[in-house]
Amino acid sequence: MRRLCGVNIFPISSSNMVFVVLKAIPLFFVRGSGASSVVLVVHVYDVICSGPRQDVDQLFSSLGKELSVKFAPPLCCTGDSCRFLGRTINRLDVGYSVAVDDKFIDLCIRSLNLSSAKTVDTPSVPRPGTISDELLLPLNAEDHHQYRAGVGRLAYISADRFDLMFTVKALSRNLVSPSAYDMQCLKRAVRYISGHRDFTYLAQCTEIPRVIETYVDSDWGSCPQSRRSTSGGFVVLGTSVVSAWSRTQPTVALSSVEAELTAACVGAQESLLIQTLLSELGIDASISLSTDSAGCLSHLSRLGVGRLKHIQLRSAFLQELVRRKSIFLKKILGLLNPADLLTKAVDRRTLGRLLSSPLVSLTCPSSSSSSSPSSDDVDVVECNAVDLECLSYCPFLSSFVM
């Protein structure tokens, strides 16, 4: 195998190590199948590998002969821990936990001089109808640079902090010309993470996933300037989130059903990607798409565009998937839909309810990773990390290590 991230070279000298690149995500490399398979996930110059310990050791030995590498500790036993690209990964009794390193949060706080500021219970609040002219004034060059740096740090943290995704999406839309009000919103988000550091993501799979659960939602016309809607969603295997997003829709939706249909289309696309990836790994899984919109479900359950001729292609795409039984539709109560977290600024009670949803493993107590070590899995499977050059981090990776 000599291909890595376009023009870069990934040398493996051993002729016994033949890896197949997956078509769904070309950064996934697989050797073998079943329990003896070795999975290599590559992002620029950073690598995580999972497989039988002997094979993993052989692979890294070959890498060490040709490259100058830095190895993180292997995660073989319950309680093992390593730091990888600003994340702390712990081996649990079942699966792994991933948490952002506190130093990134401290850097956000120090850069905005908020060390003594009071904390808040939510990362953002709904935009008020009227904002004073003072707060709408653009930032000076120094504050503009500080704003861009702060949003960039929050974007890095939000890869594993689903409670921050919508807030970071909203802040990122004003990077070109932020105002004093935008700086206030940034400081509120930093005050929130200052008081809510202990957010640990769980990646747990107790059995081979056979159903890809996808939860989607939208907030119709939520942007007061453009009147574009927001789509949000989770793709879940078991209770482990493998993909999450909060995105502004590219066009103005003329109805709430259109906004929900657009969100469902994004959810279907993300689900099909995960389904293709699992298929290449030898796992057959169906897709279950859950939405709280009765109108969207009604439209997708029948053929024809009806009154939604202006979104005919998107509508026909989803209807055909449903007709072929590639996707199964489900109704979920709006109060229980975890995707609501990714579409709008929610209050403290709603935030707490959605973060503790039994549908997705978003948090875990800090004592989860302190269980007594077990040597049963030492010679069976190993999750190891290679840090060739800490440039960036793959957010998908943190939720897919199994």
Side-chain angles (χ1 to χ4, degrees):
M1 177 178 62
R2 297 189 53 82
R3 173 188 169 196
L4 168 65
C5 302
V7 298
N8 293 322
I9 303 299
F10 189 73
I12 297 181
S13 58
S14 173
S15 59
N16 295 326
M17 293 190 179
V18 179
F19 282 80
V20 177
V21 59
L22 300 189
K23 296 178 181 178
I25 302 179
L27 303 181
F28 275 65
F29 299 85
V30 179
R31 171 178 174 263
S33 60
S36 62
S37 63
V38 178
V39 179
L40 200 66
V41 186
V42 182
H43 183 66
V44 191
Y45 297 102
D46 305 299
V47 180
I48 278 187
C49 183
S50 180
R53 185 166 186 177
Q54 182 179 357
D55 294 338
V56 173
D57 289 342
Q58 182 185 3
L59 170 63
F60 287 168
S61 176
S62 298
L63 286 175
K65 292 177 182 178
E66 304 191 38
L67 298 173
S68 176
V69 298
K70 182 173 65 175
F71 295 96
L75 304 179
C76 299
C77 307
T78 300
D80 285 350
S81 175
C82 76
R83 293 178 62 186
F84 182 65
L85 294 180
R87 268 73 178 176
T88 301
I89 306 176
N90 296 299
R91 178 75 179 257
L92 308 178
D93 289 331
V94 179
Y96 302 86
S97 69
V98 181
V100 178
D101 198 318
D102 275 351
K103 71 177 183 180
F104 291 100
I105 297 177
D106 293 333
L107 181 59
C108 289
I109 296 170
R110 289 197 309 270
S111 64
L112 294 174
N113 298 317
L114 296 176
S115 300
S116 58
K118 292 183 179 179
T119 62
V120 292
D121 292 327
T122 58
S124 58
V125 294
R127 187 183 177 97
T130 57
I131 302 175
S132 66
D133 294 338
E134 243 180 57
L135 291 177
L136 292 177
L137 293 175
L139 299 177
N140 57 43
E142 182 181 352
D143 290 342
H144 188 180
H145 174 76
Q146 192 178 53
Y147 179 85
R148 291 170 65 93
V151 173
R153 295 186 186 105
L154 283 183
Y156 186 87
I157 294 172
S158 69
D160 301 312
R161 291 284 302 255
F162 309 117
D163 53 339
L164 293 176
M165 281 190 171
F166 171 78
T167 301
V168 171
K169 189 269 296 184
L171 292 173
S172 300
R173 298 192 65 203
N174 302 305
L175 287 175
V176 174
S177 181
S179 65
Y181 175 76
D182 297 322
M183 179 61 84
Q184 275 192 2
C185 294
L186 171 62
K187 290 183 176 180
R188 179 185 178 88
V190 174
R191 288 163 57 203
Y192 167 77
I193 62 174
S194 175
H196 299 78
R197 297 167 176 259
D198 190 16
F199 184 101
T200 304
Y201 168 71
L202 294 178
Q204 296 178 319
C205 283
T206 57
E207 56 186 17
I208 296 176
R210 296 301 180 188
V211 179
I212 301 169
E213 294 282 357
T214 303
Y215 304 95
V216 296
D217 196 14
S218 73
D219 190 22
W220 179 39
S222 54
C223 178
Q225 286 85 24
S226 65
R227 282 303 173 190
R228 289 195 287 172
S229 308
T230 297
S231 298
F234 288 106
V235 178
V236 183
L237 296 180
T239 58
S240 299
V241 178
V242 296
S243 182
W245 63 92
S246 178
R247 303 171 188 165
T248 301
Q249 295 184 0
T251 58
V252 177
L254 303 183
S255 66
S256 60
V257 172
E258 181 181 343
E260 295 284 356
L261 189 62
T262 301
C265 187
V266 175
Q269 293 167 347
E270 296 286 340
S271 303
L272 289 171
L273 172 64
I274 304 302
Q275 186 183 53
T276 303
L277 175 63
L278 292 177
S279 177
E280 291 190 78
L281 293 173
I283 301 173
D284 294 326
S286 59
I287 298 173
S288 174
L289 184 68
S290 298
T291 176
D292 54 20
S293 171
C296 178
L297 289 173
S298 174
H299 177 77
L300 293 178
S301 299
R302 62 176 185 267
L303 295 177
V305 296
R307 298 181 180 180
L308 300 178
K309 294 183 177 63
H310 55 295
I311 53 171
Q312 180 175 0
L313 293 179
R314 183 178 290 117
S315 173
F317 166 70
L318 282 174
Q319 288 178 339
E320 178 63 16
L321 290 176
V322 174
R323 187 187 68 82
R324 294 197 321 237
K325 296 184 179 180
S326 298
I327 287 181
F328 298 93
L329 301 176
K330 287 172 60 177
K331 178 72 167 66
I332 186 173
L333 292 177
L335 291 176
L336 302 179
N337 191 353
D340 191 42
L341 178 69
L342 305 172
T343 61
K344 61 177 74 72
V346 297
D347 56 38
R348 176 177 58 85
R349 188 170 298 177
T350 303
L351 180 65
R353 184 182 71 248
L354 296 178
L355 287 178
S356 59
S357 169
L359 300 176
V360 289
S361 298
L362 298 185
T363 60
C364 75
S366 56
S367 59
S368 295
S369 60
S370 61
S371 306
S372 57
S374 171
S375 59
D376 293 342
D377 297 330
V378 174
D379 296 323
V380 179
V381 66
E382 174 180 354
C383 176
N384 213 333
V386 185
D387 187 1
L388 302 182
E389 186 174 333
C390 293
L391 296 180
S392 56
Y393 180 74
C394 178
F396 183 85
L397 187 61
S398 69
S399 55
F400 196 72
V401 179
M402 292 187 294

